[in-house]
Structures are given as C-alpha cells and as structure tokens.
Amino acid sequence: SGQHSPSVKLTKLQFGICANYQGIPQSFNRVMRHCCEGGHVGINPFEDNQVNVCYVVDSKYFKAKGQDPEKVLVGWIRESPHLHNVMIGAMRVSPWKAVQIPVCNSIVHYENGIWRAGNSSAFINTVMGVGISVALQSGQLLAQSITGYSHDVERLKAYTDEYQKHFGAQRRLADLFGGFAHYPWAADMIINFLDINKNFRQRAMNYSRPKVITKNKVVYTKGVLSEV
C-alpha cells in the first residue's frame, strides 16, 4: 500500500496487518475491499477453506486504538454494515502478522544504480486494483527505454515521459477515488453520479487501468474495458 524512497522524506507511516480466518463463505468466489476510517480491509480466499483478512491502517489511527490489531478490525466491523455482514461467524485461525509501511507520494524511477518499476517506482492507489498490471506494463516501458537508448540519462527521460503518459491520469484518478472512498457520503455521491452519467463512467474506466499489449508494445485504446 505504499513505497519507500530513501532520498525522499517520508510523509506518512502505515501498518499492514493480516491473519487467516474461517467462516467467511462470501469470500470464496470473490476478492473484497472495504474502505474504513483510517484504513481499508482486503478479504480474499486462501487455502484449506481459509480466508486471508488483511488491512492497512494509518499509524496514528492504530495508536489511537491501543495498537491492538483485533480492536482495530472489530471497530471497523461495527462501523461498516457491509463488512459486518461479511464477517458474521468469522473465526481467526492464525496469529496476526504485521509489517511497517513507510509511504510517500513521490515517483522515483532510478536511484543508486537501480531501475524501478511497479509500486517500487510509484504507488497507485489500490482502489483501482491495478498493482499487477501496472508492474507488468511499467516493466515493459522500462525495458523499451533501456534497449532503445545507450545512456542512462536518455533512458531515464524516455522512461519518465512514457510512464507519465500512460499512468499519469490513472494515478490522479486513483488518488481522487481512493481519498473519497473513506467517506461514505462522498463514496455514495460518486457511485450515484457514475450510475447516471454513462459518458463520465466510461472515461473513468478508460483511465482506471492499462489497456492492451500487442506486438511487444503497450497500446492504450479507449473503451475496451467491460463495466463492473
């Protein structure tokens, strides 16, 4: 849910926390994300009829809840009717695991002799669900820049320009929707607006994720995504 660039001052700190559960039948055929105050919860099938429940929480919110992983999740379940409905009857069957996530809003494509792609280069808000596709296609953009130029300065400029061209609008839209998703009144307003405005909905879909790869080149065409 974020990335750390050593040369850039950190702007926020989050924690990624997860555990396995049983008794969540709604999750077996889908992956879910619930936005909550101070973070978001992801629920997805695991193995042996278990479900992985993982969440990202802002460090200040986590400390305000006594740094108790169970207390944070229980509080969100009480506050969210949808999450409450999913977690009824759920039982945790593994210890909590946690990792510290330093987050910054910078874009760093090259540092200390290392080229970056995907979330290590620039994080795109997960509300769009695009992590793997961005990693693959930004990696292809990087490969094209490296093979197309002889010097790192030229390669970096080409990669930066192509990255911005293909992912700039997507990052801005993801940041906007990701911010609003944590406020029910704003999320409802956006959902209602998208529901009645087909043209804007189609434009949002076009910007929401990379499009197609053909003949070893990234091609971004409009209107290829099916509505969900």
Side-chain angles (χ1 to χ4, degrees), residues 10-15 57-60 63 100-103:
L10 298 179
T11 58
K12 187 165 56 174
L13 180 65
Q14 298 177 334
F15 294 103
V57 59
D58 183 82
S59 60
K60 292 182 179 179
K63 291 178 181 177
Q100 201 169 267
I101 308 172
V103 181

Side-chain angles (χ1 to χ4, degrees), residues 3-219:
Q3 56 90 29
H4 172 44
S5 300
S7 62
V8 181
K9 184 178 179 181
L10 298 179
T11 58
K12 187 165 56 174
L13 180 65
Q14 298 177 334
F15 294 103
I17 301 174
C18 73
N20 290 342
Y21 279 74
Q22 289 182 337
I24 312 180
Q26 293 188 49
S27 70
F28 289 137
N29 296 318
R30 54 181 170 172
V31 173
M32 294 174 278
R33 169 174 164 161
H34 298 264
C35 293
C36 309
E37 180 186 359
H40 61 265
V41 183
I43 301 175
N44 58 281
F46 192 52
E47 55 188 20
D48 297 329
N49 292 322
Q50 295 183 6
V51 175
N52 182 256
V53 177
C54 54
Y55 67 81
V56 173
V57 59
D58 183 82
S59 60
K60 292 182 179 179
Y61 187 88
F62 187 63
K63 291 178 181 177
K65 296 297 180 179
Q67 303 186 75
D68 184 339
E70 194 82 30
K71 186 175 180 180
V72 171
L73 183 60
V74 169
W76 284 342
I77 291 173
R78 290 173 178 168
E79 295 169 2
S80 170
H82 297 292
L83 185 57
H84 180 269
N85 184 52
V86 170
M87 296 296 291
I88 289 179
M91 179 178 66
R92 183 162 58 87
V93 294
S94 77
W96 288 107
K97 297 180 180 179
V99 62
Q100 201 169 267
I101 308 172
V103 181
C104 61
N105 297 320
S106 62
I107 300 177
V108 181
H109 295 311
Y110 180 81
E111 188 173 51
N112 299 326
I114 299 174
W115 291 96
R116 298 185 177 195
N119 280 353
S120 67
S121 174
F123 173 66
I124 297 180
N125 194 294
T126 54
V127 72
M128 292 298 187
V130 295
I132 294 176
S133 59
V134 170
L136 292 172
Q137 300 209 24
S138 63
Q140 188 167 18
L141 292 175
L142 173 58
Q144 292 171 358
S145 300
I146 290 176
T147 58
Y149 296 89
S150 302
H151 303 289
D152 283 349
V153 173
E154 297 173 320
R155 292 167 174 166
L156 179 58
K157 184 180 185 307
Y159 181 37
T160 301
D161 291 345
E162 289 301 305
Y163 189 98
Q164 183 61 32
K165 182 190 302 182
H166 295 320
F167 300 113
Q170 181 184 0
R171 292 187 80 244
R172 291 191 291 272
L173 186 65
D175 285 343
L176 176 66
F177 283 0
F180 282 146
H182 293 273
Y183 301 94
W185 65 268
D188 289 342
M189 181 179 65
I190 291 176
I191 291 171
N192 291 333
F193 178 74
L194 292 176
D195 187 48
I196 63 176
N197 193 319
K198 184 176 180 179
N199 290 334
F200 188 87
R201 182 171 70 247
Q202 188 63 53
R203 290 181 62 187
M205 288 162 51
N206 287 335
Y207 284 125
S208 67
R209 52 179 59 87
K211 305 303 185 286
V212 237
I213 298 180
T214 177
K215 295 181 180 179
N216 295 323
K217 292 186 178 180
V218 180
V219 178

